[in-house]
Amino acid sequence: MRKFFQEIKADLKFKTAGPGQKLSEPSRAPREKPKAEVAPKPRQAPTDEAQRAAAAALARLELKPKGKAPSSSQETIKNQVRKELMAEAAASEKGLSVEEEVREMLPEEGAAAPSVSGVYFICPLTGTVVRKDQKEKQLREAIQAYFSVDPVAASIMEIHTFNKDREKVRVCVETMAKYLDNIYLHPEEEKYRKIKLQNKVFQERISCLEGTHKFFQAVGFETKTLPVPGQGKNSTEDFYVLKEEVLSRLEELRGCKEQLLSSEPVRARLHRQLTLFQPSPAAARFELPHDFFNLTAEELRREQRLRTEAVEKASMLRTRAMREKDEQREMRKYNYTLLRVRFPDGYILQGTFYARESVSVLYNFVREALRDDWLPFELLGPGGLKLTDENLAFNECGLVPSALLSLAWDAAVMADVEAAAEERRSPLRPELLAGAQTLS
């Protein structure tokens, strides 16, 4: 292995001679000169920064434990490592730190065209579009503002949305509903209109969750300090006590209980970022922002290190089960995927999806872009594989973190589609065509 890296180092030295230096090849056995030899184009020497980056990357690789690769794959490994080194050197020329360099390299591998600037969400309460890392802040602000409109509904949103343990939320709302049920069924019983705040059940099931106190206050409870019977004159405790006027509108109280039990968490909706591109040979090239990669900075560095190791691993004999396990682990890295659908006329429809959404969602996405949504079609994945099972998730089909698919019209309506094409009438909606962008 050391000999193999020395060969690369010698090769890099040959390729990276500085200005004014004479290029000299490592000694090689003489070979017969071809009959028609074409003079090679002069090489442009990389910058000093690129040379230093390549040398540093090579040094890091040499520090790894030495393993003997099969001789039959030596040239393959050499070519792959050379690509890694030159890519790292190119990133260094941009003046990036090590962490930034890794972040730049991973998403950009095999990609050159800007795709989307990030993953965005739509707040269901305000319609505001925000980036992924701002969605929870936007939800909190929107729910807080909703207290001025409907304090009961806003407090219920807080309970269901910001308490992540769903089992605790279930126990909490069922216990709270029981308190309200007792009041509704026994309005004459004063004991049901009081809740001791230091009660063990209240503390363990309700008080520790966000939004619960706001709910009790919104439905008509107020905090009072009351004496404790049988424990002396000066013994008091804090209670929630239902206001007298609420007893005259018990049906409203019952409605609050039903709303509490039936509500769901408020979730920001993924913004599809629907975009139509004009026909372009760059359709299969993607450049994804960091939002698409569910990795920390440390994991990114580890991924970069494993990329070189994967070259050697690829030369090993591995069972099908081993390969499938690695593929599944790879698919779980992504929460989102960027998909493009190329139409027969070359136009490209693009959208952002969850990696675990089903293929049926993509079919609906395409139908909504058609002038006539009844037109039957099928989608073909990379390699021409038909996506017939619409219940499969994108990550189960290998369509993450990005993929280019093709649309094929049903043969029964192909004649109609061709007739429409003769009339220069695209099957896509006119408003989409008017805003078609150029994919660089």
Side-chain angles (χ1 to χ4, degrees):
M1 182 63 74
R2 174 170 294 276
K3 179 181 178 182
F4 148 61
F5 281 119
Q6 288 173 345
E7 290 178 11
I8 297 178
K9 188 182 294 184
D11 194 27
L12 285 175
K13 183 177 180 181
F14 164 70
K15 294 179 180 179
T16 58
Q21 292 179 326
K22 184 177 179 181
L23 297 177
S24 60
E25 289 192 7
S27 59
R28 297 177 183 173
R31 56 184 178 182
E32 185 180 349
K33 184 177 180 181
K35 292 181 180 179
E37 187 178 272
V38 179
K41 295 182 179 179
R43 301 175 185 268
Q44 183 176 359
T47 65
D48 292 341
E49 290 81 359
Q51 297 179 44
R52 286 197 296 270
L58 185 58
R60 290 199 297 273
L61 288 173
E62 289 184 322
L63 290 175
K64 292 169 50 183
K66 308 298 186 296
K68 187 175 181 181
S71 57
S72 60
S73 62
Q74 286 287 331
E75 191 60 32
T76 301
I77 297 174
K78 181 190 295 185
N79 292 336
Q80 179 65 22
V81 173
R82 184 179 292 109
K83 290 179 182 178
E84 298 283 342
L85 296 176
M86 298 310 294
E88 191 165 342
S92 179
E93 288 188 54
K94 301 177 184 178
L96 302 176
S97 66
V98 174
E99 179 176 320
E100 291 171 330
E101 177 183 330
V102 175
R103 288 184 174 275
E104 284 286 318
M105 291 177 67
L106 286 177
E108 291 181 1
E109 184 179 1
S115 303
V116 287
S117 59
V119 176
Y120 291 84
F121 288 82
I122 305 172
C123 176
L125 298 178
T126 64
T128 305
V129 177
V130 295
R131 196 153 181 160
K132 182 180 70 172
D133 57 357
Q134 293 294 314
K135 67 175 181 176
E136 184 165 346
K137 177 184 177 184
Q138 175 62 33
L139 279 177
R140 285 188 176 277
E141 292 175 352
I143 291 176
Q144 188 61 39
Y146 202 71
F147 271 95
S148 61
V149 178
D150 187 341
V152 173
S155 62
I156 292 174
M157 290 178 195
E158 281 196 352
I159 294 170
H160 284 278
T161 304
F162 300 128
N163 297 294
K164 304 305 181 185
D165 190 323
R166 303 312 305 160
E167 178 60 21
K168 286 186 176 180
V169 171
R170 183 190 66 79
V171 172
C172 171
V173 298
E174 288 179 356
T175 307
M176 294 170 70
K178 185 64 177 176
Y179 282 128
L180 301 184
D181 249 348
N182 286 336
I183 296 172
Y184 179 78
L185 297 174
H186 310 283
E188 71 287 350
E189 294 283 347
E190 184 181 354
K191 65 178 181 179
Y192 291 126
R193 303 201 297 268
K194 294 188 297 184
I195 303 172
K196 186 164 68 171
L197 299 186
Q198 295 304 313
N199 177 276
K200 183 178 179 181
V201 171
F202 186 86
Q203 286 290 317
E204 293 179 353
R205 298 185 182 182
I206 298 174
S207 185
C208 57
L209 271 66
E210 186 173 350
T212 53
H213 291 281
K214 293 179 182 178
F215 174 81
F216 281 110
Q217 294 164 8
V219 298
F221 284 87
E222 58 184 348
T223 305
K224 287 187 176 182
T225 302
L226 302 175
V228 180
Q231 295 189 16
K233 185 186 300 184
N234 297 325
S235 180
T236 60
E237 284 191 284
D238 292 332
F239 288 80
Y240 272 144
V241 180
L242 190 69
K243 298 175 183 177
E244 288 291 332
E245 60 265 25
V246 179
L247 294 176
S248 61
R249 39 189 176 88
L250 289 176
E251 287 301 324
E252 290 184 16
L253 194 67
R254 185 183 183 188
C256 294
K257 181 207 77 172
E258 297 298 333
Q259 186 179 355
L260 177 67
L261 289 172
S262 61
S263 291
E264 295 289 336
V266 179
R267 296 286 185 244
R269 190 170 73 255
L270 180 64
H271 187 18
R272 296 293 184 202
Q273 302 184 76
L274 184 152
T275 308
L276 183 68
F277 293 108
Q278 296 174 358
S280 169
R285 297 189 311 202
F286 292 86
E287 180 181 349
L288 298 178
H290 306 315
D291 293 0
F292 279 78
F293 296 85
N294 189 29
L295 298 172
T296 64
E298 179 60 33
E299 289 171 328
L300 282 166
R301 284 191 290 268
R302 178 176 176 272
E303 287 297 314
Q304 172 64 11
R305 186 175 67 253
L306 291 178
R307 285 173 59 197
T308 303
E309 296 177 1
V311 179
E312 299 177 21
K313 187 177 179 182
S315 65
M316 297 168 51
L317 292 176
R318 300 163 63 225
T319 66
R320 180 178 178 181
M322 291 169 63
R323 292 193 300 270
E324 290 178 351
K325 184 177 180 180
D326 285 347
E327 289 171 1
Q328 289 299 318
R329 185 163 51 247
E330 186 73 17
M331 292 303 102
R332 285 195 294 271
K333 291 178 183 176
Y334 310 108
N335 285 333
Y336 311 97
T337 183
L338 187 68
L339 300 180
R340 290 174 180 163
V341 177
R342 179 157 51 195
F343 283 72
D345 59 4
Y347 277 94
I348 305 155
L349 188 67
Q350 176 177 285
T352 302
F353 301 85
Y354 285 109
R356 293 171 180 81
E357 284 188 279
S358 65
V359 172
S360 62
V361 174
L362 180 60
Y363 271 91
N364 291 333
F365 177 76
V366 173
R367 287 190 188 97
E368 291 172 358
L370 297 178
R371 185 191 299 265
D372 300 311
D373 60 7
W374 55 268
L375 287 173
F377 63 88
E378 59 186 6
L379 296 176
L380 309 179
L385 181 65
K386 294 182 181 180
L387 300 180
T388 54
D389 189 349
E390 297 188 22
N391 294 319
L392 286 177
F394 295 128
N395 60 352
E396 293 175 318
C397 301
L399 302 178
V400 293
S402 60
L404 173 65
L405 303 96
S406 299
L407 180 142
W409 299 113
D410 188 281
V413 297
M414 185 58 69
D416 293 337
V417 173
E418 290 175 352
E422 290 175 3
E423 300 170 6
R424 296 184 180 180
R425 181 183 173 211
S426 172
L428 290 160
R429 297 206 320 262
E431 60 269 27
L432 285 178
L433 290 168
Q437 302 179 24
T438 301
L439 183 61
S440 58

